[in-house]
């Protein structure tokens, strides 16, 4: 999406430069011009000017150091004590710098510490407040843009998600298989119907939530896998290990099923020794999920277009939902298609 001109990098930099120019020019604009100076006072004034320029440079560095380093790395991570130590340390440095300047570069005179500290404090506090407010406003606007982008993306992919929740071919094949079981009066018909019912209930009612318990998501995966295993029988070797542990983690609904659908989509059919391996476990507030399936790289079989939202859309959804809190690896090696996903669940 094309950025507005005021959101482009050059416009942001120009605004920052203009703001600093206005701020630093205020002492000169407000200073009286009809005063007369003797030579000593003029030299002293020049020294003060040099000192002020150096102070301005320190304030600029402090402004962006606080905004870009201290706020994100200390305040947002609740390291408040460390943050206070850094701020107090910089303030002491500025007071020491002011005292040292008067002591070294100006004529010998009595230095009143109190007004020096107060003046430095007000300037320091003003820049600190402006820097903190600036960064928090920027972060809030960034979060709002990300939330808006996430909502728009979810709206755009809603139809695809509904179509991808279970492949139509899968549903038809399962129903046909159950018709066959009913004719044979098989004992596995009832548990198969229960699994299909729970699968449909999860898709239609529970998947509307922003997040669902990880246990429910794995139960849905298990029901889907069981029905697929019943459908393919001994034609496909399916190995499954889904271990969620005792911790009540939550996850976005329908996040993992596209990888499993993809394995059954491309890992069955005219494939020698067809094998699908699905593993899930949690450790240290992280989810580890992997899906592996054999595939025939020479196969030209055309798969249905509504089976799954596609790995590209899954990656986009992961980016919107988790940002930097996930790692996804997709690889093809020795006739194996391998997907490995790691999510931070905290």
């Amino acid at each position: 999406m094309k950025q507005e001109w005021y959101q482009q990098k050059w416009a942001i930099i120009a605004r920052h430069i203009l703001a600093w120019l206005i701020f630093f020019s205020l002492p000169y604009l407000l200073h009286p011009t009809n005063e007369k100076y003797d030579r000593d006072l003029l030299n002293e004034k020049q020294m003060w000017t040099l000192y002020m320029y150096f102070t301005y440079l320190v304030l600029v560095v402090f402004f962006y150091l606080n905004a870009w380093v201290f706020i994100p790395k200390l305040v947002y991570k609740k390291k408040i004590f460390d943050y206070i130590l850094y701020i107090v340390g910089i303030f002491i440095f500025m007071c020491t710098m002011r005292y040292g300047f008067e002591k070294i570069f100006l004529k010998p005179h009595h230095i009143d510490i109190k007004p020096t500290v107060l003046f430095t404090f007000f300037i320091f506090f003003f820049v600190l407040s402006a820097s903190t407010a600036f960064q928090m406003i920027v972060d809030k606007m960034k979060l709002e843009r990300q939330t808006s982008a996430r909502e728009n993306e979810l709206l755009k992919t809603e139809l695809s998600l509904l179509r991808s929740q279970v492949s139509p071919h899968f549903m038809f094949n399962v129903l046909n298989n159950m018709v066959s079981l009913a004719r044979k009066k098989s004992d596995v018909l009832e548990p198969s119907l229960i699994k299909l019912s729970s699968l449909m209930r999860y898709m239609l009612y529970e998947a509307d939530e922003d997040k669902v318990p990880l246990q429910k998501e794995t139960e849905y995966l298990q029901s889907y896998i069981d029905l697929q295993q019943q459908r393919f029988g001994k034609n496909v070797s399916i190995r499954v290990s889904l271990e969620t542990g005792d911790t009540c983690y939550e996850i976005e609904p329908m996040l993992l099923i596209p990888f499993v659908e993809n394995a059954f989509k491309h890992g069955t059919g005219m494939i020698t020794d067809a094998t699908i391996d699905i593993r899930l476990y949690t450790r240290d507030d992280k989810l580890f999920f992997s899906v592996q399936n054999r595939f025939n790289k020479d196969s030209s079989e055309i798969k249905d277009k509504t089976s799954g939202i596609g790995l590209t859309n899954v990656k986009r959804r992961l980016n919107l939902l988790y940002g930097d809190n996930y790692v996804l690896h997709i690889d093809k090696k020795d006739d194996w298609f391998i997907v490995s996903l790691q999510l931070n669940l905290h």
Side-chain angles (χ1 to χ4, degrees):
M1 186 174 63
K2 185 178 179 181
Q3 285 186 322
E4 297 290 342
W5 68 268
Y6 54 83
Q7 294 179 336
Q8 296 179 10
K9 191 173 182 178
W10 68 267
I12 295 174
I13 294 174
R15 288 200 299 271
H16 280 247
I17 294 175
L18 179 61
W20 284 118
L21 289 175
I22 294 174
F23 176 71
F24 292 151
S25 65
L26 288 178
Y28 298 98
L29 296 176
L30 300 177
H31 194 276
T33 58
N34 58 350
E35 294 183 8
K36 296 181 179 180
Y37 300 92
D38 59 29
R39 179 167 298 181
D40 290 337
L41 289 176
L42 186 61
N43 291 334
E44 191 170 283
K45 181 183 178 183
Q46 290 174 345
M47 295 302 299
W48 272 110
T49 301
L50 291 175
Y51 169 77
M52 291 304 298
Y53 281 135
F54 182 76
T55 304
Y56 290 163
L57 178 61
V58 173
L59 289 173
V60 171
V61 172
F62 171 66
F63 181 95
Y64 293 108
L65 186 66
N66 180 67
W68 294 344
V69 179
F70 294 163
I71 298 294
K73 295 187 180 296
L74 298 178
V75 175
Y76 288 168
K77 294 184 179 180
K78 298 182 179 180
K79 298 179 180 179
I80 304 300
F81 181 75
D82 293 344
Y83 177 74
I84 293 175
L85 284 180
Y86 279 110
I87 296 301
V88 171
I90 295 174
F91 175 71
I92 293 174
F93 166 76
M94 293 192 66
C95 291
T96 305
M97 183 178 68
R98 170 69 180 265
Y99 178 84
F101 166 77
E102 292 196 38
K103 198 74 174 175
I104 297 172
F105 295 100
L106 301 184
K107 292 188 301 182
H109 66 287
H110 173 71
I111 301 175
D112 195 347
I113 299 296
K114 186 176 179 180
T116 299
V117 172
L118 286 176
F119 178 81
T120 305
F121 172 79
F122 285 120
I123 297 295
F124 180 84
F125 182 77
F126 176 82
V127 174
L128 174 65
S129 302
S131 174
T132 303
F134 162 78
Q135 188 59 32
M136 288 186 172
I137 291 172
V138 168
D139 289 340
K140 183 178 180 181
M141 293 173 62
K142 183 178 179 181
L143 180 61
E144 289 176 351
R145 287 196 298 267
Q146 290 176 343
T147 302
S148 178
R150 174 181 170 180
E151 291 174 353
N152 290 335
E153 186 65 26
L154 291 177
L155 287 174
K156 290 178 182 178
T157 59
E158 184 177 9
L159 181 58
S160 296
L161 280 170
L162 290 173
R163 290 176 176 175
S164 72
Q165 286 171 351
V166 176
S167 166
H169 287 181
F170 163 74
M171 294 298 297
F172 293 143
N173 288 325
V174 168
L175 292 174
N176 288 334
N177 186 57
M178 289 185 177
V179 170
S180 176
L181 292 174
R183 288 174 179 171
K184 296 177 182 178
K185 298 183 180 180
S186 173
D187 294 335
V188 300
L189 175 61
E190 183 177 351
S192 297
L193 286 171
I194 292 174
K195 288 178 181 178
L196 180 61
S197 174
S198 65
L199 185 146
M200 296 296 294
R201 185 183 303 109
Y202 181 82
M203 290 188 305
L204 295 175
Y205 300 110
E206 298 180 31
D208 288 338
E209 302 294 331
D210 291 336
K211 287 193 175 185
V212 296
L214 180 59
Q215 183 66 36
K216 285 189 174 291
E217 181 75 2
T218 55
E219 289 174 0
Y220 167 71
L221 290 177
Q222 189 65 62
S223 296
Y224 178 87
I225 294 167
D226 290 343
L227 290 173
Q228 288 282 30
Q229 194 162 28
Q230 179 180 300
R231 169 190 168 194
F232 289 106
K234 297 181 180 180
N235 294 326
V236 180
S237 174
I238 303 175
R239 299 191 293 265
V240 182
S241 175
L242 305 177
E243 301 176 3
T244 59
D246 299 329
T247 309
C248 298
Y249 293 117
E250 290 187 329
I251 191 173
E252 281 70 14
M254 313 299 296
L255 190 64
L256 306 178
I257 188 63
F259 299 111
V260 179
E261 278 194 312
N262 191 72
F264 282 100
K265 174 182 174 182
H266 297 285
T268 57
M270 304 300 294
I271 298 176
T272 304
D273 192 20
T275 304
I276 297 176
D277 187 287
I278 302 169
R279 299 185 183 277
L280 181 150
Y281 65 94
T282 58
R283 182 181 300 163
D284 299 328
D285 293 333
K286 292 182 179 180
L287 170 72
F288 298 88
F289 180 66
S290 66
V291 180
Q292 303 182 39
N293 63 273
R294 288 188 179 275
F295 74 99
N296 185 358
K297 58 185 177 182
D298 299 323
S299 175
S300 59
E301 180 182 1
I302 299 176
K303 305 292 182 178
D304 65 287
K305 295 181 180 180
T306 59
S307 179
I309 62 176
L311 297 183
T312 300
N313 287 346
V314 176
K315 292 177 186 176
R316 186 164 64 247
R317 194 178 179 211
L318 283 168
N319 284 331
L320 287 168
L321 295 172
Y322 287 90
D324 297 329
N325 293 317
Y326 84 96
V327 177
L328 176 65
H329 293 294
I330 300 176
D331 193 18
K332 292 182 180 180
K333 184 178 180 181
D334 300 331
D335 296 331
W336 282 89
F337 188 85
I338 305 170
V339 174
S340 176
L341 175 65
Q342 177 181 319
L343 291 177
N344 291 339
L345 297 175
H346 62 279

